[in-house]
C-alpha cells in the first residue's frame, strides 16, 4: 500500500521482501469500511469489492443459532460496512497495482544491518549488497527485524486465546457475516467471494502460549465446535478434513511506545502496533498508516516534521484499537473461566464504540 502511494506520487519506492515466492499466509480477511476508504485512496477499493464479497452488519448469535444483535463500523461514503476477501486475492490486487505503479522489488532477502543517520539511511542486505535511502519503513510484521535493529527487543504478549481459520464452499444462506458465541469459544462465518467463505474460531487455550502439533489440528478444532447447534455450523463441521488447510495462530499483541521512528527509520503496521482480531482492524490500521505516511511525505516538509505529524495522526487511533482489543480478549477470558466481569464491562458496547470511532478521518 505504501509503495503504491509513493510511486503514484512520483517518489521512488523499493520493497524488500524475504519471501521470494510471495506465498500468502492465512485464509480470509475482513475489510471494514475504514479499510475500504483507505484502499480507495490508493485506487484499489473497487477491485477489492469486485473480487471479494461486500456485506452489511455482522449478525451476533447464540451457540444454537438464535440471533440477538448485529454490529459493524458505520458505512463511509458509498462503501459497504464490510468486504470479505481472500488474503491471496487481496495480495494479488495490491501486488499488481504496485507493479503497475513502478514499485521496485527485491525478493528473497532482507536487511542485515541499518546505519541510521540524520540525513540518510545506509542499508546492508543479506545478499551482501548495500544501498542508501532517504527513508526506511519497517512494515515487516509483529516480529519485525527493522524494529529489533533500530529499537531493540520488544516482547509480544500472549492473550490466552488462539484463532483457527478454515475455508469452505459458501453456504447458500450466508447473506452476511455471522458470529456465534459459545461457553469458551466464538465462531465467525465470513463470505470471501460469491462462491467461498471462511470460518474463524477464537478459543481459550490456557495461560501459556500453546504449541499444538498439526496432527491434533482437526480433532482440536472439531472439539471446539462440538457445543454449537447452529445449523450453519453443523452443516460444515464434517467438511474440515484437510490439516494443511487449517491456519492456527496463538493471539499475541504488541504496542511500541511513541515515537515509532528514529532519524530516518519509521515503523508501521504490526511492526509498531500488532493487534489481535477482536475488532478486525489489524490490516486496516496498517493500510491507513501507509496512506497517511505517503500523504505526509508528499508535503516536502523536513523528515522530522513528517514523522512527528505521522505520530500525531496515528498513535492514539492505533493505541485505541490495540487497547480495546486486549480488553475484549481479557473479558472473554473471564467469561470463559466463569469469572464475573468488572462492573460496567460490556463487550458489545466496547466493540460498538471502538468500531464507531474508526469512522473519524485518518
Amino acid at each position: 500500500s505504501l509503495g503504491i502511494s509513493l510511486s503514484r506520487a512520483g517518489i521512488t519506492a523499493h520493497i524488500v521482501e524475504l519471501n521470494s515466492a510471495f506465498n500468502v499466509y492465512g485464509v480470509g480477511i475482513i475489510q471494514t469500511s475504514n479499510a475500504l476508504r483507505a484502499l480507495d485512496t490508493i485506487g484499489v477499493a473497487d477491485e477489492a469489492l469486485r473480487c471479494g464479497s461486500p456485506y452489511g452488519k455482522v449478525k451476533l448469535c447464540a451457540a444454537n443459532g438464535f440471533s440477538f444483535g448485529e454490529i459493524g463500523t458505520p458505512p463511509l461514503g458509498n462503501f459497504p460496512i464490510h468486504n470479505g476477501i481472500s488474503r491471496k486475492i487481496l495480495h494479488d490486487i495490491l501486488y499488481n497495482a504496485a507493479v503497475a505503479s513502478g514499485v521496485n522489488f527485491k525478493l528473497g532477502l532482507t536487511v542485515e544491518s541499518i546505519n541510521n543517520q540524520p540525513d540518510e539511511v545506509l542499508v546492508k542486505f543479506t545478499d551482501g549488497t548495500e544501498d542508501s535511502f532517504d527513508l526506511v519503513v519497517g512494515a515487516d510484521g509483529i516480529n519485525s527485524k527493522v524494529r529489533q535493529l533500530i529499537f531493540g527487543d520488544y516482547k509480544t504478549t500472549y492473550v490466552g486465546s488462539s484463532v483457527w481459520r478454515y475455508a469452505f464452499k459458501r453456504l447458500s444462506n450466508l447473506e452476511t457475516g455471522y458470529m456465534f458465541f459459545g461457553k469458551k469459544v466464538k465462531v465467525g462465518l465470513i463470505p470471501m467471494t460469491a462462491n467461498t467463505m471462511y470460518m474463524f474460531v477464537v478459543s481459550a487455550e490456557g495461560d501459556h502460549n500453546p504449541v499444538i502439533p498439526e496432527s491434533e489440528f482437526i480433532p482440536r478444532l472439531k472439539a471446539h465446535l462440538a457445543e454449537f447447534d447452529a445449523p450453519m455450523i453443523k452443516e460444515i463441521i464434517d467438511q474440515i478434513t484437510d490439516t494443511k488447510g487449517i491456519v492456527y495462530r496463538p493471539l499475541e499483541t504488541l504496542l511500541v511506545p511513541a515515537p515509532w521512528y528514529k532519524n530516518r527509520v519509521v515503523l508501521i503496521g504490526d511492526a509498531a502496533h500488532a493487534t489481535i482480531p477482536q475488532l478486525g482492524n489489524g490490516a486496516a490500521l496498517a493500510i491507513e498508516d501507509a496512506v497517511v505516511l505517503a500523504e505526509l511525505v508528499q508535503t516536502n516538509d523536513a523528515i522530522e516534521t513528517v514523522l512527528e505529524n505521522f505520530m500525531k495522526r496515528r498513535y492514539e487511533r492505533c493505541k485505541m484499537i490495540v487497547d480495546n482489543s486486549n480488553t475484549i480478549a481479557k473479558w472473554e477470558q473471564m467469561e470463559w473461566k466463569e469469572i464475573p466481569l468488572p462492573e460496567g464491562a460490556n463487550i458489545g458496547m466496547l466493540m460498538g464504540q471502538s468500531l464507531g470511532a474508526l469512522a473519524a478521518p485518518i
Side-chain angles (χ1 to χ4, degrees):
S1 298
L2 180 60
I4 295 167
S5 301
L6 294 174
S7 290
R8 289 184 175 179
I11 299 168
T12 302
H14 301 263
I15 291 179
V16 178
E17 169 57 52
L18 183 61
N19 184 350
S20 59
F22 265 152
N23 296 318
V24 178
Y25 179 81
V27 180
I29 193 167
I30 299 170
Q31 297 181 307
T32 47
S33 54
N34 59 300
L36 296 167
R37 176 178 60 184
L39 287 172
D40 188 53
T41 303
I42 61 175
V44 299
D46 288 344
E47 184 69 359
L49 290 168
R50 186 184 71 82
C51 296
S53 184
Y55 60 96
K57 291 185 176 181
V58 173
K59 290 188 177 181
L60 307 179
C61 305
N64 63 3
F66 173 75
S67 179
F68 58 83
E70 56 184 18
I71 199 165
T73 54
L76 300 175
N78 296 321
F79 299 117
I81 295 174
H82 297 101
N83 184 51
I85 193 168
S86 153
R87 289 176 182 260
K88 176 66 167 62
I89 291 174
L90 177 60
H91 176 271
D92 289 346
I93 290 170
L94 291 169
Y95 174 72
N96 291 335
V99 170
S101 300
V103 176
N104 300 291
F105 287 89
K106 291 178 177 287
L107 301 181
L109 69 158
T110 186
V111 292
E112 179 70 32
S113 62
I114 300 175
N115 185 357
N116 185 17
Q117 300 297 321
D119 56 348
E120 67 174 346
V121 188
L122 303 175
V123 179
K124 182 176 181 180
F125 299 104
T126 48
D127 66 351
T129 61
E130 300 181 20
D131 209 340
S132 63
F133 302 92
D134 296 312
L135 179 67
V136 168
V137 182
D140 50 342
I142 191 170
N143 297 311
S144 169
K145 185 170 184 179
V146 174
R147 183 183 69 230
Q148 193 274 329
L149 288 172
I150 300 300
F151 294 90
D153 289 329
Y154 279 89
K155 302 299 183 184
T156 60
T157 300
Y158 170 63
V159 302
S161 303
S162 296
V163 64
W164 309 69
R165 295 182 176 94
Y166 197 86
F168 300 89
K169 180 180 178 181
R170 183 168 175 168
L171 295 171
S172 60
N173 58 341
L174 188 77
E175 83 288 4
T176 190
Y178 282 77
M179 195 178 300
F180 303 86
F181 294 85
K183 292 181 179 179
K184 293 193 175 183
V185 174
K186 66 179 179 182
V187 178
L189 299 181
I190 305 297
M192 284 196 297
T193 68
N195 301 312
T196 62
M197 57 175 256
Y198 78 97
M199 173 183 68
F200 69 79
V201 177
V202 177
S203 58
E205 299 290 349
D207 295 330
H208 300 287
N209 194 330
V211 177
I212 299 176
E214 279 193 5
S215 60
E216 294 183 19
F217 276 10
I218 290 178
R220 288 280 285 265
L221 179 53
K222 287 188 174 182
H224 285 316
L225 298 172
E227 68 173 294
F228 291 86
D229 293 324
M232 282 183 170
I233 296 178
K234 291 179 72 69
E235 185 174 345
I236 62 175
I237 288 178
D238 290 341
Q239 298 177 37
I240 303 172
T241 57
D242 179 15
T243 298
K244 297 297 183 182
I246 296 175
V247 174
Y248 168 80
R249 183 168 66 88
L251 295 181
E252 297 176 299
T253 184
L254 172 73
L255 179 65
V256 177
W260 299 331
Y261 67 90
K262 285 185 180 179
N263 288 343
R264 289 174 174 260
V265 178
V266 61
L267 305 176
I268 68 172
D270 281 2
H273 49 81
T275 184
I276 52 180
Q278 267 64 6
L279 291 168
N281 249 264
L285 292 180
I287 296 168
E288 287 184 354
D289 283 351
V291 167
V292 171
L293 182 58
E295 174 193 322
L296 292 170
V297 168
Q298 293 173 61
T299 63
N300 291 320
D301 287 337
I303 195 66
E304 179 73 17
T305 301
V306 165
L307 298 179
E308 284 180 359
N309 289 335
F310 175 76
M311 293 305 303
K312 289 176 183 177
R313 288 176 57 178
R314 297 307 299 159
Y315 182 76
E316 291 300 332
R317 182 180 178 90
C318 296
K319 183 177 185 298
M320 180 269 294
I321 292 297
V322 172
D323 288 348
N324 290 357
S325 295
N326 291 346
T327 297
I328 291 168
K330 178 181 177 181
W331 289 348
E332 286 175 342
Q333 290 288 318
M334 293 175 70
E335 285 191 335
W336 291 340
K337 294 176 182 177
E338 299 182 351
I339 299 173
L341 296 185
E343 184 177 353
N346 185 312
I347 292 176
M349 182 177 295
L350 184 58
M351 290 179 68
Q353 292 171 346
S354 304
L355 295 174
L358 292 171
I362 61 174

